[in-house]
Amino acid sequence: MYSITIVCRVFVGSTSLESVSLPCLKTMRLENNTYADEACLELLISSCPVLEDFSFVRMPGSCGVNVLRVHSKTLTSLTIKTCVHDYDFQNNDRISVVRVLINAPRLKYLSLCDFISECKTISNLGSLTKVNLGRRAPDHFFTSISQVRDMKISDSAFRNLSRSLSWEKKIIFTHVPQCFMSSLEFVEIAGTFRGLPGEMELVEYFAENSVVLKKKKKQRY
């Protein structure tokens, strides 16, 4: 099994990737880099025909990528993350937002810990069984994870979900997600759970609609 990590804010340009071929690479972590353009990053991903584990980590500012496209027939684990401290959450104007397009039919684990404006799954994610939400859930996200068994939600993502649930015209759960009715067994709320009215309403929603839920974890407070 081969792996590669590109760190230290490396600049990745298209010309340097034109002849790149990584036929045996299964694990790749791209961390805090700047890319010439989005096509450059796509080219790098497509040069790994057997890639199984991919992590894309960026700083809050622009890294040259506004739309992250991940197309892979072999990928089983995907992590998308922004490196920010708690202070940065109060300064959202400093944090660039990305749009994510995922086409990975064999994906089993998905971790979204980034500031994502939209997430479209453009292929069947029927094999996805584990999800980690570290920020807010992208629009229409829950309609795309029909077979998820294990879900971890950070306290900030949970609060955002509870706000969305209370908005009459922007309710996320217009219909009960398929995974709630057929596969979701474990839910963990990580971080500080305050027990506010909106949060309690969301807890009740999970409990009432998750048919096969086995246990619910929450941080002590």
Side-chain angles (χ1 to χ4, degrees):
M1 179 177 179
Y2 297 90
S3 64
I4 184 171
T5 303
I6 302 177
V7 296
C8 300
R9 300 189 180 185
V10 172
F11 176 78
V12 183
S14 298
T15 55
S16 62
L17 296 174
E18 291 177 352
S19 60
V20 170
S21 177
L22 302 168
C24 299
L25 189 68
K26 291 188 176 182
T27 302
M28 178 166 64
R29 179 181 175 89
L30 304 179
E31 185 173 339
N32 299 345
N33 303 311
T34 301
Y35 304 88
D37 50 39
E38 293 153 0
C40 171
L41 181 57
E42 288 183 60
L43 181 61
L44 181 56
I45 297 173
S46 65
S47 69
C48 309
V50 296
L51 188 64
E52 295 180 356
D53 188 343
F54 176 51
S55 297
F56 178 77
V57 182
R58 68 187 183 99
M59 295 298 288
S62 176
C63 64
V65 176
N66 295 318
V67 180
L68 175 60
R69 296 177 177 87
V70 181
H71 294 181
S72 174
K73 294 181 179 180
T74 59
L75 199 65
T76 58
S77 177
L78 173 62
T79 297
I80 303 172
K81 180 180 179 181
T82 303
C83 290
V84 294
H85 299 292
D86 290 341
Y87 171 80
D88 291 308
F89 288 108
Q90 306 302 321
N91 298 274
N92 290 336
D93 57 321
R94 297 171 51 194
I95 302 173
S96 63
V97 178
V98 298
R99 184 177 180 222
V100 177
L101 303 177
I102 302 172
N103 184 350
R106 295 186 181 180
L107 198 64
K108 295 181 179 179
Y109 172 73
L110 176 61
S111 178
L112 295 177
C113 298
D114 205 324
F115 292 87
I116 297 171
S117 61
E118 183 177 359
C119 181
K120 290 184 178 179
T121 54
I122 53 179
S123 71
N124 183 16
L125 290 186
S127 60
L128 189 66
T129 58
K130 189 172 183 179
V131 168
N132 175 31
L133 288 177
R135 300 286 184 262
R136 71 178 181 86
D139 295 340
H140 311 300
F141 178 72
F142 283 89
T143 62
S144 307
I145 54 172
S146 60
Q147 300 300 319
V148 165
R149 294 180 59 253
D150 194 332
M151 185 181 299
K152 182 177 180 179
I153 308 174
S154 73
D155 49 3
S156 60
F158 191 80
R159 285 193 292 273
N160 282 320
L161 275 175
S162 64
R163 294 190 193 104
S164 298
L165 186 62
S166 64
W167 296 343
E168 183 177 352
K169 295 183 179 180
K170 289 190 175 182
I171 187 167
I172 289 180
F173 302 130
T174 303
H175 303 289
V176 178
Q178 178 62 36
C179 65
F180 282 41
M181 298 185 288
S182 62
S183 62
L184 188 62
E185 296 182 357
F186 307 105
V187 175
E188 177 181 353
I189 303 169
T192 302
F193 180 77
R194 300 177 182 178
L196 300 175
E199 296 176 348
M200 293 306 299
E201 182 181 3
L202 186 56
V203 168
E204 292 174 0
Y205 184 92
F206 271 82
E208 292 173 0
N209 293 284
S210 300
V211 178
V212 295
L213 197 66
K214 292 184 177 179
K215 64 179 179 180
K216 190 179 297 292
K217 305 175 184 177
K218 62 181 179 181
Q219 189 75 14
R220 292 183 178 179
Y221 61 96

